[in-house]
Amino acid sequence: GGDCMVRVWDIRTKQWYQRRVRGKWKVRGEREERFISFIHSFIHSIIKRKRSSNTTQHNCTMEVTLTVDKLKPPTGKGKPIILVACGCFNPITFMHLRVQEMAKDWCVRNGFEVLGGYISPAGDGYKKEGLLKASHRVAMAEISLRDSSWIMLDPWESRQLEYTRTLKVLDRFHDQINKIYGSGIGVMLVCGADLVASFNIPGVWADEDVRSIVEKHGIIVVERESEDLNAVIEKNKMIKDIRANIHIIPQDIQNEMSSTKVRKYVREGRSIKYLVHDGVIDYIAKNRLYSE
C-alpha cells in the first residue's frame, strides 16, 4: 500500500539514491539534497494519485440502462404503475413469478394499470451466507423471464459494488420510469409475507427506509399462513398509520415453496422439476451449483 511505500523510501530507497547520486552522477551538497527532495516528492505524488484512484473506484456505482423491451405505455385506463420485486433470487423459482402475477391481477381489479414488472436481484455486497454470485443469479433470472410477456430483469442492483438499500432501488425505478413517460407513474414493491415481517426485526431495516417505502411507493404483499400480517403491521409504529399503502393479497392456493428448499433438494440429489424453469435446472447442473 501507499504507507508501506513511504516507509520503504524513508528507510532504504533514500540511501540507495544517495549512493547513486554521489557515486555515479557526482552530485554533492545542495544539489544533492534538491535532487533527493525532488525524487521523494515525485514518489509521494504517485502514491497520492493511486490512493485517489482507489477511492474513486470503491465509491463508484455501475450505471445500467433500464430494460424497457416489455414495457407498455400508459393508456389512461387506471393509475399507471410498475411492479418491482427485490431479493436474492437464489435461485429464482416459479413462486417468485407467481407472486408477480398475483400482484398484477390485484392491481387490475383495483383500478391500476400495470405497465410492466421487474425482478431486481441483490448484488454480491449483500454478504448473506450461502448467497451465490450475482452473475449466476442474474443468469438464472434471465432464463426464467424469457417466457414472460411483461416481467423484465433489471441487473442494476446486482452490479453495484456495495449493498444497495431497497428504498434506493425503488427510487431509481421511479426516476427512470418517469423520465420515459413524463410523470405520474407509480412504483410498488411486490413481496412475500416474510419481507414485511422482517420490518419488525431490530437491525434489519432502517425505520426511515421502511416508512418511505410504504408511504412513497406502497407494497403488495402475498400472505402466508405462518405470518399474521395484520399483527405485524399493527406492532410497527413506523407504518401502522399508513397501512392503507400495504395491500395484502390472500393466497388461495397455499404454496410454501422457497429458494431455500430448492437449494436443499439440489444438495440431496432430489428433483426440482416444476419448481424452477427447465433452463434453470440445466444451468444449475452445468455449473454444479448448490451441490455443497
Side-chain angles (χ1 to χ4, degrees):
D3 293 333
C4 180
M5 290 175 67
V6 172
R7 288 195 296 270
V8 170
W9 162 263
D10 289 336
I11 296 172
R12 295 180 181 176
T13 313
K14 186 174 181 180
Q15 297 173 358
W16 182 89
Y17 270 110
Q18 285 175 331
R19 291 195 299 270
R20 176 72 65 171
V21 168
R22 288 174 177 170
K24 185 173 181 178
W25 297 325
K26 310 297 183 183
V27 179
R28 295 285 199 281
E30 186 178 347
R31 289 180 63 201
E32 174 188 352
E33 291 301 322
R34 287 203 304 267
F35 186 82
I36 292 175
S37 177
F38 167 76
I39 297 297
H40 198 185
S41 299
F42 178 71
I43 290 177
H44 272 275
S45 68
I46 293 174
I47 294 170
K48 186 176 181 180
R49 286 198 297 270
K50 180 65 176 177
R51 284 173 173 168
S52 177
S53 174
N54 287 342
T55 302
T56 302
Q57 182 179 5
H58 180 72
N59 291 333
C60 75
T61 57
M62 299 291 290
E63 291 302 323
V64 179
T65 302
L66 189 67
T67 303
V68 295
D69 59 311
K70 300 177 185 178
L71 203 63
K72 70 173 187 178
T75 64
K77 298 178 180 178
K79 176 177 173 53
I81 62 167
I82 63 168
L83 303 178
V84 177
C86 299
C88 294
F89 303 102
N90 187 34
I92 190 170
T93 71
F94 282 143
M95 195 60 199
H96 289 126
L97 305 184
R98 181 62 196 154
V99 166
Q100 286 279 65
E101 293 289 343
M102 294 169 67
K104 183 181 180 183
D105 285 346
W106 181 90
C107 288
V108 171
R109 293 195 305 269
N110 287 272
F112 294 92
E113 182 182 18
V114 178
L115 308 184
Y118 288 92
I119 297 291
S120 179
D124 294 332
Y126 187 37
K127 303 296 183 185
K128 184 178 181 179
E129 184 178 356
L131 184 63
L132 208 63
K133 280 188 172 294
S135 56
H136 285 309
R137 293 181 285 111
V138 166
M140 290 187 283
E142 286 178 331
I143 292 169
S144 299
L145 295 174
R146 289 174 185 167
D147 301 330
S148 176
S149 62
W150 68 282
I151 307 173
M152 295 157 279
L153 170 73
D154 182 60
W156 178 82
E157 182 183 356
S158 70
R159 296 183 185 178
Q160 302 312 298
L161 302 179
E162 298 180 352
Y163 169 68
T164 307
R165 293 163 23 245
T166 300
L167 177 60
K168 183 175 181 179
V169 174
L170 297 176
D171 285 347
R172 172 183 173 271
F173 273 109
H174 183 271
D175 293 344
Q176 292 285 320
I177 290 296
N178 283 281
K179 282 179 181 177
I180 296 172
Y181 292 126
S183 63
I185 311 298
V187 175
M188 276 198 187
L189 176 65
V190 177
C191 64
D194 54 338
L195 186 143
V196 173
S198 72
F199 287 168
N200 290 356
I201 302 175
V204 175
W205 295 83
D207 286 345
E208 57 271 19
D209 277 18
V210 171
R211 177 82 185 187
S212 294
I213 288 171
V214 176
E215 188 170 37
K216 183 177 179 180
H217 299 293
I219 298 177
I220 300 176
V221 53
V222 176
E223 69 174 2
R224 179 181 287 182
E225 282 187 336
S226 58
E227 297 287 356
D228 184 348
L229 288 173
N230 287 310
V232 168
I233 295 169
E234 189 63 29
K235 289 178 182 177
N236 193 309
K237 62 181 181 180
M238 298 299 297
I239 58 177
K240 62 183 297 183
D241 65 316
I242 50 174
R243 62 184 302 156
N245 286 351
I246 302 177
H247 312 289
I248 301 174
I249 303 176
Q251 191 169 183
D252 298 327
I253 303 174
Q254 294 297 324
N255 190 330
E256 295 295 316
M257 179 44 56
S258 67
S259 296
T260 302
K261 291 181 178 178
V262 169
R263 297 195 301 272
K264 180 175 182 289
Y265 286 6
V266 173
R267 285 196 304 271
E268 296 173 351
R270 298 163 66 180
S271 171
I272 55 172
K273 193 170 180 64
Y274 307 121
L275 300 179
V276 299
H277 193 286
D278 283 350
V280 171
I281 297 176
D282 294 339
Y283 187 93
I284 290 173
K286 179 180 178 181
N287 292 279
R288 299 180 181 179
L289 307 178
Y290 308 123
S291 58
E292 297 180 357

